[in-house]
Amino acid sequence: MAFSSGPVLGLKPVLARDFGLAPETSHLDACYQYCRDIARRSSTTFYLSSLFLKPEKRCAVWAVYAFCRTADDIVDAVTPAAARLAAIDHWEQALRAAYAGTPKHRIMVALHDAADRFHIPLQPALDLLRGARLDITVRRYASYNDLREYCYLVASTVGLLTSPILGYSSSVALDYGVALGRAMQMTNILRDIGEDARLGRIYLPLDEMQRFGYTESSIFEGVIDDAFVALMRFQIDRVRRLYTDAEPGIALLEPESRYTVRLALTLYRQILASIEANRYDVYSRRAYVPFRSKLLAALTVAFTPAQK
């Protein structure tokens, strides 16, 4: 990932424009439109789920998504680590300026408005940027406990940022949101094992890899053997339990927001099934949910009675 407003960080100006970092503002509606375009282009699963919210909530979650997505794009940019870290620092400065009431970028204009409307806290956004810095500097996780903390920083924080927008009846809902964020991030990790390996990253806990007899070199070589299948089954079973643990929190959300979160949870669960359908080949095939299946899921969730 890499952010910059120009040559100060040693990044090309075009990079700043691509990330929405150029110091420019626009009409609020245009800023929200920009955030919507980022969501629609980057994640059809998230975007489809967001469409079932009321317009003001929909726009607010697009702003949060665009902020988070830009941080993720900084991490994955093909630039030196020092430049990416400096860009994250720049994005944090832009974030703090937005919360201070002086946003200077399109994403931050929208985020400032959303934060003001829905009282979105600053700290989870700062924690997310701390997780982005880990993505740049840390390429291995010794244990699941270490990985769990990382998942909190880069994903559970998103739940804490969006919960005020969705609305909830009890603060316990935040704990469920944290659990759902971890489940979704672990799903991303399992789906992207091959992609991350090509970037020199391994997110699977090293102690668990050792337990199943699967080596780092096997990941970089894209080996799918009995050890890998057993390791993946273990990981998928755990993530499914995380979704089960998180699901009761949906009932604590405002009624108008429950469908959106339940649909997102359902679609992410289906990514796990797609990995299995691909016979755990996460090296040459990307697990995804086809658009027709997403529409079917949207209808199924709509007509399935909510669990109490």
Side-chain angles (χ1 to χ4, degrees):
M1 302 181 177
F3 268 128
S4 158
S5 61
V8 173
L9 300 181
L11 301 177
K12 294 180 180 179
V14 68
L15 196 59
R17 291 199 301 274
D18 289 344
F19 287 142
L21 293 176
E24 58 184 33
T25 57
S26 183
H27 189 274
L28 181 60
D29 287 345
C31 293
Y32 275 124
Q33 174 79 24
Y34 181 75
C35 294
R36 187 197 75 169
D37 291 344
I38 291 174
R40 183 173 55 185
R41 183 173 62 248
S42 303
S43 175
T44 55
T45 296
F46 172 86
Y47 182 70
L48 176 63
S49 300
S50 73
L51 294 179
F52 297 95
L53 293 170
K54 288 184 176 180
E56 63 272 17
K57 293 190 175 188
R58 187 189 312 158
C59 289
V61 297
W62 289 339
V64 170
Y65 180 89
F67 163 74
C68 299
R69 180 71 226 185
T70 302
D72 194 55
D73 287 344
I74 290 176
V75 167
D76 292 336
V78 186
T79 56
R84 284 178 284 154
L85 288 170
I88 289 292
D89 289 343
H90 177 77
W91 200 225
E92 180 176 328
Q93 292 167 12
L95 172 69
R96 290 183 182 275
Y99 269 79
T102 56
K104 295 182 175 62
H105 308 293
R106 284 173 289 182
I107 291 171
M108 293 303 181
V109 169
L111 184 61
H112 164 70
D113 181 72
D116 188 58
R117 286 172 183 261
F118 295 100
H119 307 290
I120 301 172
L122 172 61
Q123 190 58 49
L126 295 174
D127 288 342
L128 183 138
L129 295 181
R130 185 154 61 94
R133 292 183 179 95
L134 286 181
D135 263 324
I136 296 171
T137 59
V138 178
R139 292 178 174 266
R140 305 287 189 279
Y141 289 88
S143 68
Y144 177 65
N145 281 339
D146 295 333
L147 185 61
R148 191 171 178 271
E149 173 62 15
Y150 163 77
C151 289
Y152 169 81
L153 291 173
V154 300
S156 295
T157 51
V158 180
L160 296 176
L161 290 168
T162 55
S163 290
I165 303 169
L166 300 173
Y168 51 88
S169 60
S170 168
S171 60
V172 177
L174 298 177
D175 296 329
Y176 286 109
V178 166
L180 180 58
R182 285 196 175 103
M184 289 180 165
Q185 183 61 24
M186 284 299 302
T187 300
N188 290 338
I189 286 171
L190 298 181
R191 180 196 61 196
D192 297 338
I193 288 174
E195 180 181 327
D196 288 327
R198 288 188 284 275
L199 295 172
R201 302 176 187 152
I202 296 177
Y203 288 99
L204 293 176
L206 297 182
D207 61 346
E208 294 176 357
M209 288 174 55
Q210 184 177 19
R211 186 194 318 166
F212 284 91
Y214 196 72
T215 65
E216 290 189 29
S217 61
S218 292
I219 281 190
F220 292 127
E221 293 168 9
V223 175
I224 301 174
D225 55 12
D226 290 344
F228 182 68
V229 170
L231 174 63
M232 288 294 287
R233 285 174 174 165
F234 172 80
Q235 300 294 332
I236 288 173
D237 285 347
R238 177 165 57 199
V239 177
R240 284 195 168 121
R241 289 195 300 272
L242 288 174
Y243 282 121
T244 299
D245 291 343
E247 198 162 9
I250 296 175
L252 300 177
L253 299 175
E254 289 184 357
E256 66 190 45
S257 298
R258 293 172 190 170
Y259 177 80
T260 290
V261 177
R262 188 173 297 282
L263 178 58
L265 185 152
T266 299
L267 293 176
Y268 263 82
R269 270 180 171 157
Q270 290 185 9
I271 294 174
L272 299 176
S274 179
I275 292 173
E276 293 171 327
N278 290 344
R279 298 186 178 184
Y280 307 99
D281 182 359
V282 290
Y283 295 109
S284 64
R285 303 179 66 182
R286 181 177 176 84
Y288 73 101
V289 181
F291 188 70
R292 289 180 61 183
S293 297
K294 290 179 179 178
L295 291 180
L296 178 60
L299 291 172
T300 301
V301 171
F303 291 103
T304 300
Q307 298 178 359
K308 301 295 184 182

